[in-house]
mmCIF file of all heavy atoms in Angstrom:
data_model
loop_
_atom_site.group_PDB
_atom_site.id
_atom_site.type_symbol
_atom_site.label_atom_id
_atom_site.label_comp_id
_atom_site.label_asym_id
_atom_site.label_seq_id
_atom_site.Cartn_x
_atom_site.Cartn_y
_atom_site.Cartn_z
ATOM 1 N N SER A 1 -3.255 -18.309 -23.316
ATOM 2 C CA SER A 1 -2.795 -18.207 -21.930
ATOM 3 C C SER A 1 -3.271 -16.909 -21.306
ATOM 4 O O SER A 1 -3.529 -15.917 -21.991
ATOM 5 C CB SER A 1 -1.265 -18.265 -21.854
ATOM 6 O OG SER A 1 -0.799 -19.571 -22.114
ATOM 7 N N THR A 2 -3.365 -16.947 -19.970
ATOM 8 C CA THR A 2 -3.621 -15.749 -19.176
ATOM 9 C C THR A 2 -2.440 -15.569 -18.232
ATOM 10 O O THR A 2 -2.038 -16.517 -17.557
ATOM 11 C CB THR A 2 -4.920 -15.893 -18.366
ATOM 12 O OG1 THR A 2 -6.017 -16.051 -19.271
ATOM 13 C CG2 THR A 2 -5.160 -14.671 -17.491
ATOM 14 N N TYR A 3 -1.871 -14.365 -18.216
ATOM 15 C CA TYR A 3 -0.707 -14.095 -17.378
ATOM 16 C C TYR A 3 -1.001 -12.951 -16.410
ATOM 17 O O TYR A 3 -1.518 -11.907 -16.808
ATOM 18 C CB TYR A 3 0.504 -13.700 -18.233
ATOM 19 C CG TYR A 3 0.994 -14.794 -19.140
ATOM 20 C CD1 TYR A 3 0.699 -14.773 -20.504
ATOM 21 C CD2 TYR A 3 1.754 -15.858 -18.643
ATOM 22 C CE1 TYR A 3 1.153 -15.776 -21.352
ATOM 23 C CE2 TYR A 3 2.209 -16.864 -19.484
ATOM 24 C CZ TYR A 3 1.905 -16.827 -20.838
ATOM 25 O OH TYR A 3 2.344 -17.825 -21.668
ATOM 26 N N CYS A 4 -0.677 -13.165 -15.140
ATOM 27 C CA CYS A 4 -0.761 -12.101 -14.142
ATOM 28 C C CYS A 4 0.517 -11.271 -14.209
ATOM 29 O O CYS A 4 1.625 -11.830 -14.217
ATOM 30 C CB CYS A 4 -0.925 -12.689 -12.740
ATOM 31 S SG CYS A 4 -2.524 -13.482 -12.486
ATOM 32 N N ILE A 5 0.357 -9.959 -14.246
ATOM 33 C CA ILE A 5 1.508 -9.056 -14.316
ATOM 34 C C ILE A 5 1.603 -8.264 -13.016
ATOM 35 O O ILE A 5 0.792 -7.363 -12.745
ATOM 36 C CB ILE A 5 1.416 -8.121 -15.523
ATOM 37 C CG1 ILE A 5 1.442 -8.948 -16.808
ATOM 38 C CG2 ILE A 5 2.555 -7.115 -15.508
ATOM 39 C CD1 ILE A 5 1.435 -8.127 -18.070
ATOM 40 N N GLY A 6 2.554 -8.609 -12.205
ATOM 41 C CA GLY A 6 2.837 -7.936 -10.952
ATOM 42 C C GLY A 6 4.283 -8.207 -10.588
ATOM 43 O O GLY A 6 5.025 -8.818 -11.359
ATOM 44 N N SER A 7 4.693 -7.799 -9.405
ATOM 45 C CA SER A 7 6.066 -8.057 -8.969
ATOM 46 C C SER A 7 6.207 -9.444 -8.351
ATOM 47 O O SER A 7 7.303 -9.987 -8.261
ATOM 48 C CB SER A 7 6.498 -7.002 -7.944
ATOM 49 O OG SER A 7 5.793 -7.194 -6.719
ATOM 50 N N GLY A 8 5.067 -9.996 -7.896
ATOM 51 C CA GLY A 8 5.123 -11.264 -7.184
ATOM 52 C C GLY A 8 5.593 -11.108 -5.753
ATOM 53 O O GLY A 8 5.835 -12.089 -5.053
ATOM 54 N N GLN A 9 5.710 -9.848 -5.296
ATOM 55 C CA GLN A 9 6.122 -9.559 -3.919
ATOM 56 C C GLN A 9 5.045 -8.718 -3.259
ATOM 57 O O GLN A 9 4.331 -7.977 -3.932
ATOM 58 C CB GLN A 9 7.462 -8.816 -3.904
ATOM 59 C CG GLN A 9 8.579 -9.588 -4.585
ATOM 60 C CD GLN A 9 9.855 -8.776 -4.710
ATOM 61 O OE1 GLN A 9 9.993 -7.720 -4.106
ATOM 62 N NE2 GLN A 9 10.790 -9.272 -5.498
ATOM 63 N N GLN A 10 4.922 -8.812 -1.960
ATOM 64 C CA GLN A 10 3.858 -8.106 -1.275
ATOM 65 C C GLN A 10 4.346 -7.451 0.011
ATOM 66 O O GLN A 10 5.204 -7.974 0.700
ATOM 67 C CB GLN A 10 2.712 -9.075 -0.967
ATOM 68 C CG GLN A 10 3.136 -10.258 -0.112
ATOM 69 C CD GLN A 10 2.163 -11.420 -0.221
ATOM 70 O OE1 GLN A 10 1.779 -11.837 -1.308
ATOM 71 N NE2 GLN A 10 1.741 -11.949 0.927
ATOM 72 N N ARG A 11 3.782 -6.265 0.290
ATOM 73 C CA ARG A 11 4.111 -5.520 1.502
ATOM 74 C C ARG A 11 2.850 -4.787 1.961
ATOM 75 O O ARG A 11 1.913 -4.602 1.183
ATOM 76 C CB ARG A 11 5.195 -4.470 1.223
ATOM 77 C CG ARG A 11 6.518 -5.010 0.734
ATOM 78 C CD ARG A 11 7.446 -3.868 0.360
ATOM 79 N NE ARG A 11 7.838 -3.068 1.518
ATOM 80 C CZ ARG A 11 8.352 -1.850 1.430
ATOM 81 N NH1 ARG A 11 8.509 -1.265 0.261
ATOM 82 N NH2 ARG A 11 8.711 -1.191 2.523
ATOM 83 N N LEU A 12 2.872 -4.324 3.210
ATOM 84 C CA LEU A 12 1.790 -3.476 3.672
ATOM 85 C C LEU A 12 1.808 -2.162 2.897
ATOM 86 O O LEU A 12 2.879 -1.588 2.645
ATOM 87 C CB LEU A 12 1.926 -3.197 5.163
ATOM 88 C CG LEU A 12 1.651 -4.360 6.116
ATOM 89 C CD1 LEU A 12 1.984 -3.955 7.549
ATOM 90 C CD2 LEU A 12 0.195 -4.818 6.013
ATOM 91 N N LEU A 13 0.637 -1.678 2.551
ATOM 92 C CA LEU A 13 0.550 -0.448 1.775
ATOM 93 C C LEU A 13 1.208 0.718 2.517
ATOM 94 O O LEU A 13 1.881 1.561 1.916
ATOM 95 C CB LEU A 13 -0.933 -0.131 1.505
ATOM 96 C CG LEU A 13 -1.260 0.761 0.324
ATOM 97 C CD1 LEU A 13 -0.665 0.213 -0.964
ATOM 98 C CD2 LEU A 13 -2.771 0.903 0.178
ATOM 99 N N LYS A 14 1.061 0.756 3.835
ATOM 100 C CA LYS A 14 1.649 1.861 4.597
ATOM 101 C C LYS A 14 3.176 1.840 4.551
ATOM 102 O O LYS A 14 3.817 2.890 4.680
ATOM 103 C CB LYS A 14 1.162 1.846 6.038
ATOM 104 C CG LYS A 14 1.554 0.637 6.859
ATOM 105 C CD LYS A 14 0.948 0.724 8.257
ATOM 106 C CE LYS A 14 1.260 -0.508 9.100
ATOM 107 N NZ LYS A 14 0.621 -0.418 10.443
ATOM 108 N N ASP A 15 3.772 0.671 4.321
ATOM 109 C CA ASP A 15 5.229 0.607 4.231
ATOM 110 C C ASP A 15 5.731 1.230 2.932
ATOM 111 O O ASP A 15 6.773 1.898 2.917
ATOM 112 C CB ASP A 15 5.699 -0.843 4.343
ATOM 113 C CG ASP A 15 5.510 -1.409 5.745
ATOM 114 O OD1 ASP A 15 5.390 -0.601 6.686
ATOM 115 O OD2 ASP A 15 5.476 -2.644 5.895
ATOM 116 N N TYR A 16 4.999 1.009 1.828
ATOM 117 C CA TYR A 16 5.349 1.711 0.582
ATOM 118 C C TYR A 16 5.269 3.224 0.802
ATOM 119 O O TYR A 16 6.161 3.979 0.401
ATOM 120 C CB TYR A 16 4.370 1.344 -0.541
ATOM 121 C CG TYR A 16 4.422 -0.060 -1.063
ATOM 122 C CD1 TYR A 16 3.396 -0.959 -0.789
ATOM 123 C CD2 TYR A 16 5.469 -0.493 -1.884
ATOM 124 C CE1 TYR A 16 3.413 -2.246 -1.301
ATOM 125 C CE2 TYR A 16 5.502 -1.779 -2.397
ATOM 126 C CZ TYR A 16 4.471 -2.655 -2.105
ATOM 127 O OH TYR A 16 4.479 -3.924 -2.618
ATOM 128 N N ILE A 17 4.177 3.642 1.430
ATOM 129 C CA ILE A 17 3.938 5.071 1.633
ATOM 130 C C ILE A 17 5.016 5.694 2.518
ATOM 131 O O ILE A 17 5.510 6.794 2.253
ATOM 132 C CB ILE A 17 2.540 5.284 2.238
ATOM 133 C CG1 ILE A 17 1.467 4.845 1.219
ATOM 134 C CG2 ILE A 17 2.324 6.737 2.629
ATOM 135 C CD1 ILE A 17 0.084 4.698 1.817
ATOM 136 N N LYS A 18 5.415 4.978 3.558
ATOM 137 C CA LYS A 18 6.469 5.486 4.439
ATOM 138 C C LYS A 18 7.794 5.613 3.697
ATOM 139 O O LYS A 18 8.569 6.546 3.937
ATOM 140 C CB LYS A 18 6.616 4.571 5.652
ATOM 141 C CG LYS A 18 5.464 4.687 6.657
ATOM 142 C CD LYS A 18 5.633 3.710 7.814
ATOM 143 C CE LYS A 18 4.486 3.833 8.808
ATOM 144 N NZ LYS A 18 4.620 2.868 9.930
ATOM 145 N N ASP A 19 8.081 4.686 2.797
ATOM 146 C CA ASP A 19 9.309 4.775 2.000
ATOM 147 C C ASP A 19 9.309 6.043 1.152
ATOM 148 O O ASP A 19 10.335 6.734 1.039
ATOM 149 C CB ASP A 19 9.440 3.555 1.083
ATOM 150 C CG ASP A 19 9.966 2.330 1.818
ATOM 151 O OD1 ASP A 19 10.371 2.462 2.993
ATOM 152 O OD2 ASP A 19 9.977 1.240 1.218
ATOM 153 N N ILE A 20 8.168 6.333 0.539
ATOM 154 C CA ILE A 20 8.075 7.548 -0.275
ATOM 155 C C ILE A 20 8.245 8.785 0.604
ATOM 156 O O ILE A 20 9.011 9.704 0.280
ATOM 157 C CB ILE A 20 6.727 7.601 -1.013
ATOM 158 C CG1 ILE A 20 6.603 6.427 -1.985
ATOM 159 C CG2 ILE A 20 6.574 8.920 -1.771
ATOM 160 C CD1 ILE A 20 5.209 6.260 -2.575
ATOM 161 N N ALA A 21 7.539 8.806 1.738
ATOM 162 C CA ALA A 21 7.580 9.970 2.623
ATOM 163 C C ALA A 21 8.984 10.228 3.158
ATOM 164 O O ALA A 21 9.381 11.385 3.381
ATOM 165 C CB ALA A 21 6.606 9.776 3.779
ATOM 166 N N SER A 22 9.762 9.160 3.348
ATOM 167 C CA SER A 22 11.118 9.320 3.885
ATOM 168 C C SER A 22 12.002 10.126 2.934
ATOM 169 O O SER A 22 12.936 10.808 3.368
ATOM 170 C CB SER A 22 11.746 7.957 4.162
ATOM 171 O OG SER A 22 12.027 7.261 2.948
ATOM 172 N N LEU A 23 11.705 10.065 1.630
ATOM 173 C CA LEU A 23 12.483 10.831 0.653
ATOM 174 C C LEU A 23 12.211 12.326 0.764
ATOM 175 O O LEU A 23 13.001 13.142 0.313
ATOM 176 C CB LEU A 23 12.172 10.349 -0.764
ATOM 177 C CG LEU A 23 12.463 8.867 -1.044
ATOM 178 C CD1 LEU A 23 12.007 8.494 -2.438
ATOM 179 C CD2 LEU A 23 13.955 8.582 -0.887
ATOM 180 N N PHE A 24 11.068 12.673 1.360
ATOM 181 C CA PHE A 24 10.701 14.078 1.544
ATOM 182 C C PHE A 24 10.950 14.534 2.984
ATOM 183 O O PHE A 24 10.662 15.680 3.328
ATOM 184 C CB PHE A 24 9.219 14.273 1.199
ATOM 185 C CG PHE A 24 8.876 14.074 -0.249
ATOM 186 C CD1 PHE A 24 8.621 12.815 -0.751
ATOM 187 C CD2 PHE A 24 8.821 15.155 -1.116
ATOM 188 C CE1 PHE A 24 8.297 12.627 -2.092
ATOM 189 C CE2 PHE A 24 8.499 14.978 -2.456
ATOM 190 C CZ PHE A 24 8.245 13.708 -2.943
ATOM 191 N N CYS A 25 11.441 13.603 3.812
ATOM 192 C CA CYS A 25 11.677 13.898 5.229
ATOM 193 C C CYS A 25 10.404 14.397 5.915
ATOM 194 O O CYS A 25 10.431 15.372 6.694
ATOM 195 C CB CYS A 25 12.808 14.916 5.400
ATOM 196 S SG CYS A 25 14.390 14.350 4.724
ATOM 197 N N ILE A 26 9.282 13.752 5.587
ATOM 198 C CA ILE A 26 7.994 14.104 6.180
ATOM 199 C C ILE A 26 7.449 12.884 6.921
ATOM 200 O O ILE A 26 7.481 11.770 6.408
ATOM 201 C CB ILE A 26 6.997 14.569 5.109
ATOM 202 C CG1 ILE A 26 7.453 15.907 4.505
ATOM 203 C CG2 ILE A 26 5.578 14.710 5.681
ATOM 204 C CD1 ILE A 26 6.583 16.414 3.375
ATOM 205 N N ASP A 27 6.957 13.116 8.135
ATOM 206 C CA ASP A 27 6.359 12.034 8.921
ATOM 207 C C ASP A 27 4.931 11.806 8.441
ATOM 208 O O ASP A 27 4.081 12.691 8.542
ATOM 209 C CB ASP A 27 6.367 12.398 10.404
ATOM 210 C CG ASP A 27 5.853 11.257 11.281
ATOM 211 O OD1 ASP A 27 5.505 10.192 10.733
ATOM 212 O OD2 ASP A 27 5.801 11.443 12.518
ATOM 213 N N ILE A 28 4.689 10.617 7.900
ATOM 214 C CA ILE A 28 3.405 10.313 7.298
ATOM 215 C C ILE A 28 2.369 9.835 8.313
ATOM 216 O O ILE A 28 1.169 9.762 8.024
ATOM 217 C CB ILE A 28 3.607 9.219 6.206
ATOM 218 C CG1 ILE A 28 2.482 9.264 5.152
ATOM 219 C CG2 ILE A 28 3.686 7.843 6.812
ATOM 220 C CD1 ILE A 28 2.650 10.343 4.150
ATOM 221 N N GLU A 29 2.819 9.525 9.531
ATOM 222 C CA GLU A 29 1.968 8.843 10.510
ATOM 223 C C GLU A 29 0.656 9.580 10.778
ATOM 224 O O GLU A 29 -0.400 8.952 10.905
ATOM 225 C CB GLU A 29 2.723 8.641 11.825
ATOM 226 C CG GLU A 29 3.842 7.605 11.760
ATOM 227 C CD GLU A 29 3.332 6.178 11.655
ATOM 228 O OE1 GLU A 29 2.133 5.956 11.847
ATOM 229 O OE2 GLU A 29 4.153 5.276 11.367
ATOM 230 N N GLU A 30 0.712 10.907 10.877
ATOM 231 C CA GLU A 30 -0.503 11.636 11.241
ATOM 232 C C GLU A 30 -1.572 11.572 10.148
ATOM 233 O O GLU A 30 -2.758 11.835 10.409
ATOM 234 C CB GLU A 30 -0.186 13.089 11.562
ATOM 235 C CG GLU A 30 0.319 13.897 10.378
ATOM 236 C CD GLU A 30 0.601 15.345 10.764
ATOM 237 O OE1 GLU A 30 1.732 15.627 11.203
ATOM 238 O OE2 GLU A 30 -0.327 16.171 10.638
ATOM 239 N N GLY A 31 -1.177 11.191 8.930
ATOM 240 C CA GLY A 31 -2.157 11.078 7.841
ATOM 241 C C GLY A 31 -2.798 9.706 7.745
ATOM 242 O O GLY A 31 -3.866 9.550 7.140
ATOM 243 N N LEU A 32 -2.149 8.695 8.361
ATOM 244 C CA LEU A 32 -2.675 7.335 8.299
ATOM 245 C C LEU A 32 -3.916 7.197 9.178
ATOM 246 O O LEU A 32 -3.912 7.613 10.337
ATOM 247 C CB LEU A 32 -1.601 6.334 8.738
ATOM 248 C CG LEU A 32 -0.397 6.188 7.804
ATOM 249 C CD1 LEU A 32 0.680 5.324 8.446
ATOM 250 C CD2 LEU A 32 -0.817 5.578 6.462
ATOM 251 N N GLY A 33 -4.968 6.623 8.617
ATOM 252 C CA GLY A 33 -6.199 6.426 9.371
ATOM 253 C C GLY A 33 -7.172 7.590 9.295
ATOM 254 O O GLY A 33 -8.247 7.540 9.904
ATOM 255 N N LYS A 34 -6.824 8.628 8.554
ATOM 256 C CA LYS A 34 -7.714 9.782 8.437
ATOM 257 C C LYS A 34 -8.918 9.478 7.543
ATOM 258 O O LYS A 34 -9.961 10.112 7.654
ATOM 259 C CB LYS A 34 -6.957 10.988 7.872
ATOM 260 C CG LYS A 34 -5.895 11.555 8.804
ATOM 261 C CD LYS A 34 -6.529 12.165 10.049
ATOM 262 C CE LYS A 34 -5.480 12.846 10.922
ATOM 263 N NZ LYS A 34 -6.075 13.424 12.151
ATOM 264 N N LYS A 35 -8.753 8.520 6.631
ATOM 265 C CA LYS A 35 -9.856 8.143 5.738
ATOM 266 C C LYS A 35 -10.328 6.735 6.097
ATOM 267 O O LYS A 35 -9.498 5.849 6.356
ATOM 268 C CB LYS A 35 -9.395 8.167 4.276
ATOM 269 C CG LYS A 35 -9.159 9.551 3.717
ATOM 270 C CD LYS A 35 -8.749 9.484 2.255
ATOM 271 C CE LYS A 35 -9.828 8.884 1.384
ATOM 272 N NZ LYS A 35 -9.446 8.881 -0.044
ATOM 273 N N PRO A 36 -11.634 6.482 6.088
ATOM 274 C CA PRO A 36 -12.131 5.130 6.355
ATOM 275 C C PRO A 36 -11.925 4.237 5.135
ATOM 276 O O PRO A 36 -11.787 4.723 4.008
ATOM 277 C CB PRO A 36 -13.623 5.358 6.614
ATOM 278 C CG PRO A 36 -13.950 6.573 5.801
ATOM 279 C CD PRO A 36 -12.723 7.450 5.853
ATOM 280 N N TYR A 37 -11.884 2.956 5.354
ATOM 281 C CA TYR A 37 -11.860 2.017 4.238
ATOM 282 C C TYR A 37 -13.198 2.087 3.500
ATOM 283 O O TYR A 37 -14.244 2.334 4.107
ATOM 284 C CB TYR A 37 -11.628 0.585 4.731
ATOM 285 C CG TYR A 37 -10.241 0.342 5.284
ATOM 286 C CD1 TYR A 37 -10.066 -0.131 6.577
ATOM 287 C CD2 TYR A 37 -9.122 0.577 4.507
ATOM 288 C CE1 TYR A 37 -8.800 -0.361 7.090
ATOM 289 C CE2 TYR A 37 -7.846 0.354 5.007
ATOM 290 C CZ TYR A 37 -7.694 -0.121 6.301
ATOM 291 O OH TYR A 37 -6.435 -0.343 6.798
ATOM 292 N N SER A 38 -13.167 1.853 2.208
ATOM 293 C CA SER A 38 -14.402 1.863 1.432
ATOM 294 C C SER A 38 -15.224 0.609 1.731
ATOM 295 O O SER A 38 -14.727 -0.358 2.324
ATOM 296 C CB SER A 38 -14.091 1.930 -0.064
ATOM 297 O OG SER A 38 -13.384 0.774 -0.474
ATOM 298 N N GLU A 39 -16.462 0.625 1.305
ATOM 299 C CA GLU A 39 -17.373 -0.487 1.596
ATOM 300 C C GLU A 39 -16.857 -1.804 1.034
ATOM 301 O O GLU A 39 -16.964 -2.851 1.671
ATOM 302 C CB GLU A 39 -18.757 -0.172 1.014
ATOM 303 C CG GLU A 39 -19.804 -1.228 1.321
ATOM 304 C CD GLU A 39 -21.165 -0.876 0.742
ATOM 305 O OE1 GLU A 39 -21.328 0.254 0.234
ATOM 306 O OE2 GLU A 39 -22.067 -1.732 0.791
ATOM 307 N N ASN A 40 -16.307 -1.767 -0.163
ATOM 308 C CA ASN A 40 -15.782 -2.973 -0.800
ATOM 309 C C ASN A 40 -14.255 -2.963 -0.834
ATOM 310 O O ASN A 40 -13.650 -3.449 -1.790
ATOM 311 C CB ASN A 40 -16.325 -3.106 -2.228
ATOM 312 C CG ASN A 40 -17.640 -3.858 -2.269
ATOM 313 O OD1 ASN A 40 -17.812 -4.860 -1.576
ATOM 314 N ND2 ASN A 40 -18.571 -3.364 -3.060
ATOM 315 N N GLN A 41 -13.632 -2.429 0.201
ATOM 316 C CA GLN A 41 -12.184 -2.265 0.235
ATOM 317 C C GLN A 41 -11.457 -3.587 -0.027
ATOM 318 O O GLN A 41 -11.734 -4.601 0.619
ATOM 319 C CB GLN A 41 -11.745 -1.728 1.597
ATOM 320 C CG GLN A 41 -10.246 -1.522 1.724
ATOM 321 C CD GLN A 41 -9.760 -0.392 0.837
ATOM 322 O OE1 GLN A 41 -10.264 0.718 0.912
ATOM 323 N NE2 GLN A 41 -8.777 -0.669 0.006
ATOM 324 N N THR A 42 -10.548 -3.563 -0.995
ATOM 325 C CA THR A 42 -9.676 -4.709 -1.238
ATOM 326 C C THR A 42 -8.535 -4.660 -0.222
ATOM 327 O O THR A 42 -7.796 -3.684 -0.171
ATOM 328 C CB THR A 42 -9.115 -4.664 -2.674
ATOM 329 O OG1 THR A 42 -10.201 -4.737 -3.596
ATOM 330 C CG2 THR A 42 -8.165 -5.811 -2.915
ATOM 331 N N MET A 43 -8.383 -5.712 0.560
ATOM 332 C CA MET A 43 -7.358 -5.731 1.607
ATOM 333 C C MET A 43 -6.143 -6.568 1.224
ATOM 334 O O MET A 43 -5.126 -6.520 1.893
ATOM 335 C CB MET A 43 -7.957 -6.255 2.916
ATOM 336 C CG MET A 43 -9.046 -5.368 3.504
ATOM 337 S SD MET A 43 -8.505 -3.673 3.850
ATOM 338 C CE MET A 43 -7.278 -3.938 5.129
ATOM 339 N N PHE A 44 -6.260 -7.338 0.133
ATOM 340 C CA PHE A 44 -5.140 -8.167 -0.303
ATOM 341 C C PHE A 44 -5.072 -8.119 -1.818
ATOM 342 O O PHE A 44 -6.063 -8.361 -2.500
ATOM 343 C CB PHE A 44 -5.318 -9.614 0.165
ATOM 344 C CG PHE A 44 -4.144 -10.502 -0.162
ATOM 345 C CD1 PHE A 44 -3.123 -10.688 0.758
ATOM 346 C CD2 PHE A 44 -4.049 -11.141 -1.393
ATOM 347 C CE1 PHE A 44 -2.027 -11.487 0.449
ATOM 348 C CE2 PHE A 44 -2.960 -11.942 -1.707
ATOM 349 C CZ PHE A 44 -1.951 -12.117 -0.774
ATOM 350 N N LEU A 45 -3.896 -7.804 -2.344
ATOM 351 C CA LEU A 45 -3.735 -7.696 -3.786
ATOM 352 C C LEU A 45 -2.306 -8.066 -4.158
ATOM 353 O O LEU A 45 -1.390 -7.256 -4.062
ATOM 354 C CB LEU A 45 -4.040 -6.267 -4.250
ATOM 355 C CG LEU A 45 -4.218 -6.079 -5.750
ATOM 356 C CD1 LEU A 45 -5.443 -6.825 -6.235
ATOM 357 C CD2 LEU A 45 -4.356 -4.602 -6.082
ATOM 358 N N SER A 46 -2.124 -9.318 -4.569
ATOM 359 C CA SER A 46 -0.784 -9.778 -4.922
ATOM 360 C C SER A 46 -0.888 -10.829 -6.021
ATOM 361 O O SER A 46 -1.840 -11.613 -6.059
ATOM 362 C CB SER A 46 -0.073 -10.370 -3.704
ATOM 363 O OG SER A 46 1.246 -10.779 -4.038
ATOM 364 N N ALA A 47 0.098 -10.835 -6.910
ATOM 365 C CA ALA A 47 0.084 -11.727 -8.072
ATOM 366 C C ALA A 47 1.035 -12.900 -7.881
ATOM 367 O O ALA A 47 2.144 -12.748 -7.358
ATOM 368 C CB ALA A 47 0.487 -10.946 -9.327
ATOM 369 N N ASN A 48 0.592 -14.055 -8.336
ATOM 370 C CA ASN A 48 1.467 -15.217 -8.476
ATOM 371 C C ASN A 48 1.947 -15.212 -9.933
ATOM 372 O O ASN A 48 1.165 -15.444 -10.859
ATOM 373 C CB ASN A 48 0.682 -16.493 -8.166
ATOM 374 C CG ASN A 48 1.521 -17.755 -8.330
ATOM 375 O OD1 ASN A 48 2.578 -17.732 -8.972
ATOM 376 N ND2 ASN A 48 1.061 -18.850 -7.773
#
């Protein structure tokens, strides 16, 4: 057998990041978009 190991749940990456930043009371917004996506950027990554 082959088994996918993940949570089986999906969210926008920026929402995870905002949750982390909220614990530090830092506004993450100004850092979003500062880096371009890579040439082969994976835009969807979720396990069934």
Side-chain angles (χ1 to χ4, degrees):
S1 288
T2 298
Y3 295 103
C4 291
I5 297 183
S7 70
Q9 302 173 12
Q10 58 200 49
R11 299 174 66 198
L12 289 174
L13 202 55
K14 64 183 177 182
D15 290 340
Y16 292 109
I17 294 166
K18 287 178 180 179
D19 280 352
I20 297 170
S22 69
L23 301 175
F24 293 85
C25 300
I26 293 176
D27 184 1
I28 204 79
E29 289 288 348
E30 66 179 88
L32 292 172
K34 292 293 185 181
K35 289 182 63 177
Y37 291 123
S38 63
E39 183 179 352
N40 271 318
Q41 180 68 54
T42 298
M43 296 302 295
F44 184 93
L45 193 65
S46 182
N48 178 342

